[in-house]
Amino acid sequence: MAREVVIVPGNGGGNIFSDGMWYGWLRKKLLEYDSELTVKLEDMPDPVVGRESIWIPFMRDKLKVGENSIIVGHSTGAVAAVRFCEQYKVHGIVLVGAYTTDCGMENEKLSGYFDRPWQWSKAKQNTEWISQFGSRDDQYLSWDEQVEVSVGLETDFHRFEDRGHFIEPYFPELVTLLKGQLMKN
């Protein structure tokens, strides 16, 4: 039974509570919905590059992501969520702006996430459900890579035409999805 949500932001180095993104807003909305729910949100170590060798142990050891956790990962956080689930069990994952290659960006090359093939079947086996949000007009990610993630993981894919990289201060569709998943438990 999922009783916690762990929000894993994208890389970039901004303060996750004050950068105008939906992370803090989502935390607040989930706690308003269920005050007994644990919602974890912290600045990630190595926030600019987002190295797998640092983020995965931080998720496991500091954030204590486990079998009762729902990971909400955005951008690099989505990539980290998939790689985490290749090794560890979680209750569910929500991928926002997920992708499969370094997109030709130096920081992404240095992250280590893209140095080996994706283990879609292991990730699927280690979670009860996977949802995904993607937008055709994402300014950083190709639509084909977002679809590749959906096909590889057989996600419940919420497709948009006009949301870019999901960097708005509000994300009501995500709240609706999470409330629906939490009510199932």
Side-chain angles (χ1 to χ4, degrees):
M1 177 155 117
R3 293 307 318 148
E4 76 173 21
V5 175
V6 181
I7 304 166
V8 182
N11 67 356
N15 181 313
I16 57 174
F17 294 101
S18 65
D19 65 1
M21 298 280 285
W22 48 263
Y23 310 136
W25 176 85
L26 174 63
R27 182 178 185 276
K28 179 182 173 206
K29 289 295 181 189
L30 291 174
L31 291 173
E32 286 173 359
Y33 168 70
D34 183 347
S35 62
E36 295 183 20
L37 182 68
T38 300
V39 184
K40 298 177 183 177
L41 173 62
E42 293 190 27
D43 284 319
M44 297 297 283
D46 187 35
V48 175
V49 177
R51 286 178 183 85
E52 178 182 14
S53 62
I54 296 172
W55 280 32
I56 299 299
F58 183 82
M59 291 168 67
R60 181 192 64 224
D61 300 334
K62 173 75 170 143
L63 296 176
K64 303 288 188 199
V65 176
E67 293 187 26
N68 293 323
S69 303
I70 296 171
I71 303 173
V72 177
H74 175 235
S75 195
T76 302
V79 173
V82 175
R83 288 298 190 192
F84 188 91
C85 290
E86 289 176 352
Q87 301 175 56
Y88 306 104
K89 290 186 178 291
V90 300
H91 182 75
I93 57 176
V94 181
L95 308 173
V96 180
Y99 51 106
T100 58
T101 72
D102 63 31
C103 304
M105 297 180 210
E106 190 59 29
N107 278 356
E108 298 295 334
K109 289 178 190 171
L110 295 173
S111 71
Y113 293 111
F114 310 102
D115 295 344
R116 64 193 183 283
W118 292 95
Q119 298 177 49
W120 304 125
S121 61
K122 281 188 179 181
K124 287 189 299 189
Q125 290 170 2
N126 282 333
T127 186
E128 293 183 31
W129 58 271
I130 306 170
S131 289
Q132 178 182 352
F133 289 87
S135 186
R136 284 188 184 273
D137 69 340
D138 192 308
Q139 61 270 41
Y140 302 110
L141 310 177
S142 80
W143 182 247
D144 289 344
E145 288 193 37
Q146 295 177 74
V147 170
E148 183 180 356
V149 171
S150 179
V151 170
L153 292 173
E154 300 173 6
T155 67
D156 168 31
F157 196 10
H158 302 262
R159 302 164 189 248
F160 293 86
E161 301 292 324
D162 60 352
R163 296 295 287 277
H165 198 54
F166 297 91
I167 55 175
E168 309 89 359
Y170 311 105
F171 197 162
E173 300 89 350
L174 182 52
V175 173
T176 300
L177 180 133
L178 288 167
K179 285 180 179 179
Q181 288 294 340
L182 291 166
M183 286 187 344
K184 291 180 183 178
N185 297 305

